[in-house]
Amino acid sequence: MSAGSQSLAVQPGSVQAERVRIVGCAYAHADDIADDVMAKIREELPGYGTDDPGFLADVHDQLARLSRTGLGALLERKRVTPADVTYARQAAARRARSGLPLVDYIAAFRLGQRAIWKSLLAHAGDGEAGREAVLSLAGPLARYTDLISNQATDAYLEFQQYVAAESGRDGQALMDALLDGTLPAGGPHLSVATAHGIGADRTTPLLVVTAVVLEPAETQGETARLVSAAAARVGVNGLRTLSVVRGGEIVAIPALGRDGSAEQLCERLRAMRAELAAEGISLAVGVSTAVTEVAQIPRAYRQAQAALALLPEDGGVLALPQLTPFRYLLLRADDTTRQLVDPRVGAALADDRARGGSLAETIRAFAAADMNLREAADTLRIHLNTAKYRIGRIQELTGRNVRSVNDLVELLVAIELQTGQSGRPGAAVINDA
């Protein structure tokens, strides 16, 4: 019997009822469809071979959501519009940002279509009405797959295009707007900003990083572009960092994401600097405090530049999120501040420094232990009597009582100021920050 005669033998009402039943069953199993697709893409597509739980959960959620959108439209007998699948464009940008190859991304869509079709066939049963109903779904399902594939592919390619242009005029224009405290109202610049986690959520912390290359001016241009590319890869929580070469500096605006921290970012910046140093590229890097609104970015940029200016001539990383107010004030100390140190205290500390610095070490440990001498001795791994002797010598040489808060602070300030005199003011403090 031909397919045409089969359709004539089946009542339209029964086909429609079967159609609703089949799609409804598949809709109820959207998570199972996502499970099926996940297993296939993990097996067949190398780009999805990561163990990152956040990435995999995002992919699974996207697959289930796409299944529900398509099947829900079939249930309601309506066409899906681009406005219904804007989330697919956002997911495409996330996949592009993660470095997933486009060929794997498109292949995953084909596997998703097969999984939905497989589910519909499984729920069709052996009845003639069920077979007729599932065949009537093939056209609408193909149109839906074409729509989401085109939308996602366009977004994927658009993101890649503008990421590639970050170091050009488009990236410069976006960075200039952000450093003026303005988020683009629309267009590709807004898409790139959002894809980097900037401006999408007011609760997402942002930092501003400035860096300069410490090498002859004639070779800085090309090296700065290499540094900018390295900075773009320094991010937390899977986010790529917006980074451009701007004049004589590299400027980056990393977003920390939901689970990232300033501490993690600063450690990655230090690792980046160490890797570049191994290649003969010396850097000075300043990092601002965290802000949560685009309007606060100009202030953070000024902070990063101020931090950069405090670094010694051989560079380093000065991260404000890892400094206490006390240490920051010491970094900004000038010659007048040093002249205010009591000459007796300065002479005693200079002599101690020449002898190995055991007295200054004891003062620091005593302060860190909240004036608990026994705990300080344990930290220094010395006998309590040795610690008592050193405290006595400090008081004898400086005329300061270490159990007085004012005297202890004065000694700590004098120690840090003297430590930094080997280079620019506060050099040792910076290297520990």
Side-chain angles (χ1 to χ4, degrees):
M1 184 180 293
S2 68
S5 60
Q6 281 184 9
S7 62
L8 293 174
V10 177
Q11 297 297 319
S14 61
V15 172
Q16 180 57 31
E18 278 295 278
R19 177 171 169 148
V20 172
R21 180 189 66 80
I22 293 167
V23 176
C25 289
Y27 185 92
H29 290 82
D31 285 327
D32 296 330
I33 294 173
D35 290 341
D36 185 25
V37 182
M38 283 296 294
K40 291 290 185 184
I41 65 177
R42 295 273 286 163
E43 177 184 347
E44 300 179 17
L45 305 178
Y48 289 87
T50 178
D51 292 324
D52 181 357
F55 176 85
L56 297 176
D58 187 28
V59 173
H60 187 279
D61 177 72
Q62 184 71 7
L63 291 169
R65 193 172 180 182
L66 287 169
S67 296
R68 290 191 179 96
T69 298
L71 293 169
L74 291 176
L75 280 174
E76 298 177 15
R77 304 186 70 178
K78 71 173 187 178
R79 284 182 176 269
V80 179
T81 68
D84 296 323
V85 290
T86 54
Y87 62 86
R89 295 182 64 86
Q90 296 166 352
R94 293 197 296 273
R95 302 295 172 266
R97 184 179 61 218
S98 71
L100 180 73
L102 178 59
V103 63
D104 284 358
Y105 185 63
I106 299 304
F109 270 100
R110 290 198 295 269
L111 291 173
Q113 180 188 29
R114 292 176 193 170
I116 294 175
W117 184 246
K118 176 182 174 183
S119 180
L120 293 171
L121 288 173
H123 292 103
D126 297 326
E128 190 173 342
R131 291 196 299 272
E132 191 73 19
V134 80
L135 285 174
S136 73
L137 296 171
L141 180 60
R143 287 193 294 272
Y144 173 65
T145 302
D146 287 344
L147 171 68
I148 59 175
S149 297
N150 290 337
Q151 289 291 307
T153 302
D154 288 347
Y156 194 102
L157 293 174
E158 180 184 84
F159 179 86
Q160 287 189 323
Q161 174 187 351
Y162 282 98
V163 165
E166 280 174 11
S167 60
R169 289 181 299 174
D170 291 322
Q172 295 287 345
L174 173 58
M175 181 63 77
D176 288 346
L178 294 173
L179 295 182
D180 284 337
T182 304
L183 184 68
H189 291 162
L190 179 60
S191 298
V192 174
T194 303
H196 287 83
I198 301 171
D201 184 349
R202 285 196 171 190
T203 64
T204 299
L206 307 168
L207 292 90
V208 176
V209 177
T210 60
V212 293
V213 179
L214 307 177
E215 61 179 53
E218 62 270 15
T219 62
Q220 283 184 355
E222 184 61 35
T223 304
R225 286 188 283 274
L226 293 175
V227 174
S228 181
R233 297 190 295 271
V234 176
V236 294
N237 199 31
L239 293 172
R240 182 181 172 87
T241 295
L242 177 66
S243 177
V244 302
V245 178
R246 193 170 184 267
E249 64 180 349
I250 298 96
V251 182
I253 304 181
L256 299 183
R258 288 173 297 178
D259 303 319
S261 70
E263 185 72 25
Q264 290 175 308
L265 179 70
C266 293
E267 290 310 310
R268 293 192 180 189
L269 286 170
R270 286 192 174 83
M272 178 197 77
R273 180 179 179 271
E275 291 171 2
L276 291 173
E279 299 175 12
I281 300 173
S282 182
L283 289 179
V285 183
V287 186
S288 76
T289 60
V291 299
T292 56
E293 297 184 12
V294 171
Q296 299 169 334
I297 288 178
R299 183 187 70 193
Y301 177 52
R302 292 192 295 271
Q303 289 180 350
Q305 287 184 312
L308 194 66
L310 292 171
L311 283 163
E313 292 181 358
D314 59 351
V317 178
L318 177 53
L320 296 185
Q322 296 180 315
L323 289 181
T324 64
F326 176 75
R327 298 186 78 191
Y328 179 71
L329 289 173
L330 288 177
L331 289 176
R332 297 181 63 86
D334 56 14
D335 288 339
T336 300
T337 308
R338 269 179 286 279
Q339 290 172 5
L340 291 173
V341 174
D342 187 312
R344 183 178 178 184
V345 172
L349 291 176
D351 182 66
D352 173 60
R353 183 180 178 84
R355 296 172 181 272
S358 63
L359 298 185
E361 180 184 49
T362 304
I363 294 171
R364 285 191 176 117
F366 183 66
D370 294 329
M371 301 187 186
N372 185 320
L373 190 57
R374 184 178 296 277
E375 184 177 332
D378 291 341
T379 299
L380 295 172
R381 297 183 180 180
I382 61 176
H383 194 277
L384 179 59
N385 288 340
T386 301
K388 289 179 179 178
Y389 167 78
R390 290 183 181 178
I391 292 297
R393 284 291 293 163
I394 291 166
Q395 296 184 168
E396 177 184 343
L397 293 171
T398 65
R400 299 302 189 272
N401 179 3
V402 295
R403 296 194 180 276
S404 162
V405 173
N406 287 338
D407 285 1
L408 181 58
V409 169
E410 183 182 349
L411 289 170
L412 290 170
V413 169
I415 289 170
E416 299 298 350
L417 290 176
Q418 194 172 90
T419 301
Q421 286 182 346
S422 57
R424 287 184 58 177
V429 179
I430 290 173
N431 292 335
D432 290 339

